[in-house]
């Protein structure tokens, strides 16, 4: 019989809570984007630009006050920001060519990408329980795709193959950025990471806006109805980017992406209570499945969480995604988060 107290540790509960918080933030950005789309505003890079500016101002200001030198070369941050900006752009752009359900399903490609990249580059070790948790989460989302909720959407878009390829490309970039950010926040000051992401993200976005979205911005009538969802999108994205590094430090990038799977379910619940819409019963089963998968993935006994601390007295190198601890050769180099 499973001891619930040992399985649902303090760290597990915090991971689940933070995961659902960032999931709700992503849901908020989705609703803000839909409101902007209804008003004829289609400028994805411009929407993200405000978030990068906020990150640069807030975290850059803190970094200047701290008067510390960069702990990592600036061009690493440039590449990190480039992948982040283009990943956001490609996935948003895909909605113009393929269906919503296709984007939902193919966006899950981020999860195997993250598992592969963290295994290859961060030497993350995944237990069998982790893979079971991932499988349960993805199975829950697949149930959504086959439900009747988006039946009318299954007709597809104007160029489904093109849209699907855009989603896959964007999801791959998400995998790269999630893995890179996990490495950075576990080895570099979190404030520095956010400040540099904001700085270079704002610069790259501004260049891209000048090239691709000049006409769209000129055509926008900036009324109160347009400014409110735009501001809401920027605020939600800022909170999302500020919270993600904390979740990455605690549980890693795979847990982050699994948590984001529930964003579509939260969107449905909001539509039920806010707009009194009816949804298919399979959505509730899918939501429960994803939650169970998250608990399986993030849960573990205190003995497992402290495994690497015991290994500190030995000669081996241990990198555990659950504990986020690295110990190498008699404790000569230790990173704890």
């Amino acid at each position: 019989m499973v001891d619930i107290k040992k399985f649902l540790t303090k760290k597990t509960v915090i991971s689940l809570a933070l995961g659902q918080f960032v999931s709700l933030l992503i849901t908020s950005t989705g609703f803000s984007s839909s409101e902007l789309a209804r008003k004829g505003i289609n400028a994805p890079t411009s929407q993200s630009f405000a978030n990068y500016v906020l990150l640069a101002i807030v975290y850059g200001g803190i970094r200047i006050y701290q008067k510390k030198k960069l702990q990592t070369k600036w061009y690493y941050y440039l590449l990190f920001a480039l992948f982040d900006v283009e990943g956001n752009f490609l996935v948003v752009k895909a909605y113009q060519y393929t269906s919503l359900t296709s984007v939902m399903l193919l966006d899950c490609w981020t999860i195997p990408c993250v598992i592969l990249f963290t295994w290859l580059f961060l030497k993350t070790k995944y237990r069998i329980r982790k893979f079971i948790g991932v499988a349960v989460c993805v199975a829950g989302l697949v149930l959504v795709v086959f439900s009747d909720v988006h039946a009318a959407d299954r007709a597809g878009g104007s160029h489904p193959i093109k849209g699907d390829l855009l989603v896959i490309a964007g999801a791959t970039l998400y995998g790269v950025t999630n893995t890179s950010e996990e490495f950075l926040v576990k080895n570099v000051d979190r404030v520095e990471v956010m400040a540099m992401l904001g700085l270079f993200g704002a610069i790259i976005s501004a260049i891209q806006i000048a090239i691709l979205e000049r006409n769209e911005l000129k055509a926008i009538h900036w009324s109160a109805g347009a400014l409110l969802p735009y501001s809401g999108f920027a605020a939600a994205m800022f909170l999302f980017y500020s919270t993600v590094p904390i979740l990455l430090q605690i549980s890693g990038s795979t847990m982050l992406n699994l948590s984001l799977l529930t964003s579509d379910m939260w969107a449905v619940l909001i539509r039920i209570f806010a707009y009194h819409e009816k949804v298919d019963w399979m959505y509730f089963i899918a939501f429960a499945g994803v939650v169970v998968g998250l608990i399986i993935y993030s849960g573990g006994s205190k003995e497992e969480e402290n495994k690497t601390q015991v290994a500190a007295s030995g000669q081996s190198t241990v990198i555990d995604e659950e504990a986020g601890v690295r110990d190498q050769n008699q404790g000569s180099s230790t990173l704890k988060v």
Side-chain angles (χ1 to χ4, degrees):
M1 185 174 179
V2 178
D3 190 336
I4 300 299
K5 290 183 179 180
K6 286 185 177 181
F7 192 78
L8 290 178
T9 61
K10 180 180 179 181
K11 176 185 166 184
T12 299
V13 173
I14 293 175
S15 298
L16 291 171
L18 286 176
Q20 291 316 295
F21 179 62
V22 297
S23 182
L24 283 169
L25 289 173
I26 283 295
T27 304
S28 301
T29 63
F31 274 93
S32 299
S33 295
S34 64
E35 285 296 318
L36 290 171
R38 277 198 285 267
K39 297 180 184 300
I41 300 175
N42 182 24
T45 309
S46 300
Q47 289 177 218
S48 301
F49 176 72
N51 166 57
Y52 292 120
V53 171
L54 283 173
L55 289 174
I57 293 174
V58 174
Y59 290 101
I62 296 174
R63 193 64 181 173
I64 291 173
Y65 177 79
Q66 292 175 338
K67 297 180 180 179
K68 294 181 180 179
K69 294 182 179 180
L70 287 181
Q71 296 176 285
T72 301
K73 300 294 183 181
W74 64 268
Y75 45 81
Y76 289 132
Y77 290 120
L78 175 61
L79 289 174
F80 174 44
L82 178 64
F83 288 140
D84 191 71
V85 171
E86 300 310 323
N88 288 330
F89 175 79
L90 289 173
V91 172
V92 173
K93 192 72 175 177
Y95 283 98
Q96 298 180 19
Y97 303 106
T98 191
S99 65
L100 176 61
T101 46
S102 293
V103 175
M104 285 173 52
L105 183 59
L106 292 173
D107 194 46
C108 294
W109 176 247
T110 302
I111 295 173
C113 285
V114 164
I115 292 176
L116 176 63
F117 294 152
T118 52
W119 177 69
L120 286 175
F121 301 109
L122 302 187
K123 307 303 180 184
T124 302
K125 293 182 179 180
Y126 292 96
R127 298 183 179 91
I128 295 298
R129 190 189 71 242
K130 299 288 188 181
F131 290 105
I132 294 174
V134 171
V136 173
C137 285
V138 174
L141 194 65
V142 170
L143 268 180
V144 175
V145 178
F146 288 103
S147 72
D148 294 328
V149 178
H150 299 299
D153 178 63
R154 293 197 186 109
S158 57
H159 297 89
I161 295 179
K162 181 178 181 180
D164 292 348
L165 290 175
L166 287 175
V167 178
I168 293 173
T172 303
L173 290 181
Y174 282 157
V176 174
T177 57
N178 290 164
T179 304
S180 301
E181 187 171 1
E182 179 180 346
F183 174 79
L184 288 170
V185 298
K186 288 181 177 180
N187 292 276
V188 182
D189 181 32
R190 179 170 60 90
V191 173
E192 176 179 308
V193 176
M194 290 295 99
M196 299 304 290
L197 173 61
L199 174 62
F200 287 116
I203 294 172
I204 294 169
S205 296
I207 295 172
Q208 190 158 303
I209 290 169
I211 297 173
L212 300 177
E213 297 180 4
R214 287 179 300 173
N215 295 331
E216 286 82 357
L217 289 179
K218 290 179 181 178
I220 295 174
H221 176 62
W222 291 104
S223 62
L227 285 173
L228 185 60
Y230 182 84
S231 301
F233 180 90
M237 286 295 284
F238 174 76
L239 289 174
F240 174 80
Y241 273 73
S242 298
T243 308
V244 162
I246 301 174
L247 182 58
L248 290 175
Q249 285 182 318
I250 296 174
S251 298
S253 48
T254 304
M255 178 62 182
L256 167 65
N257 285 280
L258 291 175
S259 298
L260 295 182
L261 293 180
T262 61
S263 61
D264 296 297
M265 287 68 164
W266 286 122
V268 170
L269 292 178
I270 291 174
R271 292 207 301 268
I272 292 173
F273 293 104
Y275 302 106
H276 306 289
E277 295 181 7
K278 293 182 179 180
V279 299
D280 190 88
W281 59 271
M282 290 182 70
Y283 242 112
F284 298 101
I285 297 177
F287 185 85
V290 172
V291 171
V292 170
L294 287 172
I295 294 174
I296 292 173
Y297 181 88
S298 61
S301 66
K302 291 181 180 179
E303 287 80 3
E304 282 183 324
E305 289 187 15
N306 296 327
K307 182 178 180 180
T308 52
Q309 294 179 7
V310 175
S313 60
Q315 299 288 329
S316 61
T317 299
V318 178
I319 302 175
D320 192 330
E321 200 242 354
E322 288 184 22
V325 180
R326 176 180 297 176
D327 182 68
Q328 189 173 26
N329 293 332
Q330 299 183 351
S332 60
S333 176
T334 303
L335 170 65
K336 297 183 179 180
V337 295

